[in-house]
Amino acid sequence: MAVMIKKVGVIGSGQMGNGIAHVAALGGFDVVLNDVSADRLKSAMATITGNLTRQVSKKLITEDAKKSALERISLVDTLEELGSCDLVIESAVEKEETKRKIFQDLCAVLKPETIVASNTSSISITRLAASTDRPEKFIGIHFMNPVPVMELVELIRGIATDDATFDSSKEFVSKLGKQIAVSEDFPAFIVNRILLPMINEAIYTLYEGVGNVEAIDMAMKLGAHHPMGPLELADFIGLDTCLSIMQVLHEGLADSKYRPCPLLVKYVEAGWLGRKTQRGFYDYRGEKPVPTR
Ligand SMILES: CC(=O)CC(=O)SCCNC(=O)CCNC(=O)[C@H](O)C(C)(C)COP(=O)(O)OP(=O)(O)OC[C@H]1O[C@@H](n2cnc3c(N)ncnc32)[C@H](O)[C@@H]1OP(=O)(O)O
Ligand SMILES: NC(=O)C1=CN([C@@H]2O[C@H](COP(=O)(O)OP(=O)(O)OC[C@H]3O[C@@H](n4cnc5c(N)ncnc54)[C@H](OP(=O)(O)O)[C@@H]3O)[C@@H](O)[C@H]2O)C=CC1
């Protein structure tokens, strides 16, 4: 039987987690947002407030809708406090071990009927589901960045996901006003299977000296009408996340065409992860982003 979703838990309050909490609260759901540190949660709430205010000033939502959405969000720093949720969406870092540990601890405190979802960009839903006590109630709900703006959500069934879980998830996503693309459970699903090799190729283009950062981004913005250049987009997604996705593609499909560019590896090793650390292919510490190559 389909679960009636009213209360939604979100684990991880980074750029994706705070966006998911934002759209779920605006969609009328009660939201419990979890992260490992209270500071992280505080800064997520400030981001959500800022993004809702931007939507009010663009007349996309009313001041009342913003106020109600903020009232629907509560912040918690333990998983126990997610116990009464009908759906929990995990959106912590793109590391399989971290996610498996979260699911193990989470399932111990959930009602048996709660649906568990992952916002993973690339990792096998079937494999993540197998680390829980409820593979039939486990699903991939993959939002796009920035969540309040992008229209699409990918839904990915694991091998055991039952119809009721799929139908409830579909209804939940539709209530957020998003369109759904259903993807089979293969490495990186649809969007990232296509997008990330393009970004990785842009990094090879830089690595091999075909063009500098500015030339590559300008070429793809003006020459292919992409809203952001591929290197600007890589910084926006997070270079750690880009590398993890390429590693999943490389390992999962065993094809050298998915080999992560060594320059991407170097940036991640330096801790230059893009916008979130203020440095990546651009340096964001000044007034204007400055290319680092
Ligand atoms: C990695 C994965 O697993 C999957 C993925 O998500 S892949 C990434 C997919 N996303 C993309 O490809 C994004 C590509 N970029 C774009 O579409 C656009 O550049 C953009 C929508 C991000 C911004 O659009 P823009 O027209 O250049 O900027 P702008 O007009 O300033 O922004 C439009 C609105 O988007 C919203 N917005 C922009 N950045 C935002 C952010 N980081 N968070 C929330 N909202 C944001 C704001 O409401 C903004 O309105 P304001 O005018 O008030 O600022
Ligand atoms: N970036 C993107 O464009 C997209 C990303 N995704 C996916 O969304 C997920 C999150 O990515 P994103 O938001 O970009 O990453 P961020 O690095 O912005 O955020 C991750 C958050 O999770 C927190 N976290 C880490 N471990 C735990 C834990 N055990 N319990 C609770 N919270 C934890 C981090 O805290 P701390 O920093 O303190 O460790 C951080 O606040 C990933 O799976 C990613 O692949 C999906 C679509 C698009």
Side-chain angles (χ1 to χ4, degrees):
M1 215 179 63
V3 174
M4 180 68 174
I5 297 173
K6 287 193 177 147
K7 192 169 180 181
V8 178
V10 179
I11 300 177
S13 66
Q15 54 180 343
M16 294 306 290
N18 77 54
I20 296 167
H22 171 142
V23 297
L26 212 46
F29 296 92
D30 292 324
V31 176
V32 188
L33 180 59
N34 163 267
D35 206 304
V36 278
S37 90
D39 278 357
R40 272 279 185 191
L41 287 165
K42 224 170 107 189
S43 95
M45 205 57 187
T47 302
I48 294 170
T49 307
N51 285 337
L52 284 166
T53 303
R54 196 152 55 174
Q55 286 177 307
V56 172
S57 61
K58 290 184 96 182
K59 297 199 176 6
L60 296 170
I61 61 168
T62 63
E63 187 63 43
D64 274 358
K66 169 190 156 186
K67 194 164 164 272
S68 314
L70 287 172
E71 282 167 2
R72 282 190 205 104
I73 303 176
S74 48
L75 307 175
V76 303
D77 58 10
T78 68
L79 290 178
E80 281 71 24
E81 289 165 283
L82 300 177
S84 58
C85 291
D86 308 302
L87 163 69
V88 177
I89 306 172
E90 171 278 319
S91 190
V93 282
E94 189 71 352
K95 289 199 180 114
E96 188 162 342
E97 257 180 55
T98 307
K99 291 187 188 296
R100 291 170 85 97
K101 172 78 172 76
I102 288 173
F103 292 133
Q104 223 171 42
D105 297 343
L106 174 70
C107 288
V109 301
L110 290 183
K111 304 182 283 186
E113 64 272 25
T114 302
I115 295 174
V116 178
S118 178
N119 181 48
T120 175
S121 295
S122 60
I123 301 167
S124 161
I125 296 303
T126 298
R127 213 162 57 228
L128 289 176
S131 71
T132 73
D133 60 357
R134 60 192 78 201
E136 70 291 347
K137 295 202 180 310
F138 192 96
I139 190 160
I141 305 184
H142 181 213
F143 289 83
M144 304 296 139
N145 187 11
V147 181
V149 181
M150 304 304 278
E151 299 88 345
L152 188 85
V153 171
E154 289 182 321
L155 277 186
I156 309 108
R157 296 177 78 142
I159 199 167
T161 310
D162 64 22
D163 290 343
T165 300
F166 182 70
D167 292 344
S168 303
S169 307
K170 227 167 128 178
E171 200 184 319
F172 166 71
V173 172
S174 300
K175 281 186 183 163
L176 306 182
K178 306 284 188 197
Q179 302 290 316
I180 294 169
V182 176
S183 169
E184 288 299 320
D185 188 19
F186 286 102
F189 321 124
I190 298 173
V191 171
N192 288 335
R193 169 80 177 257
I194 300 168
L195 183 66
L196 262 294
M198 188 276 288
I199 288 177
N200 195 47
E201 198 59 32
I203 304 171
Y204 269 114
T205 308
L206 177 67
Y207 179 61
E208 291 170 9
V210 182
N212 63 18
V213 168
E214 233 163 1
I216 292 167
D217 275 351
M218 190 213 254
M220 294 308 286
K221 277 199 286 193
L222 303 185
H225 269 196
H226 288 197
M228 283 176 169
L231 301 172
E232 187 188 355
L233 182 56
D235 276 357
F236 185 64
I237 291 169
L239 302 188
D240 52 341
T241 303
C242 290
L243 178 58
S244 298
I245 297 169
M246 286 313 299
Q247 285 165 336
V248 168
L249 280 167
H250 194 216
E251 281 160 26
L253 298 170
D255 189 326
S256 61
K257 76 177 173 181
Y258 298 112
R259 188 170 77 102
C261 179
L263 187 60
L264 173 60
V265 176
K266 192 180 279 193
Y267 271 76
V268 173
E269 284 173 349
W272 293 15
L273 307 182
R275 281 202 202 190
K276 63 182 163 189
T277 57
Q278 294 204 29
R279 222 176 337 178
F281 292 110
Y282 293 86
D283 187 331
Y284 299 90
R285 292 171 299 172
E287 234 167 68
K288 243 175 62 182
V290 178
T292 53
R293 261 168 197 265

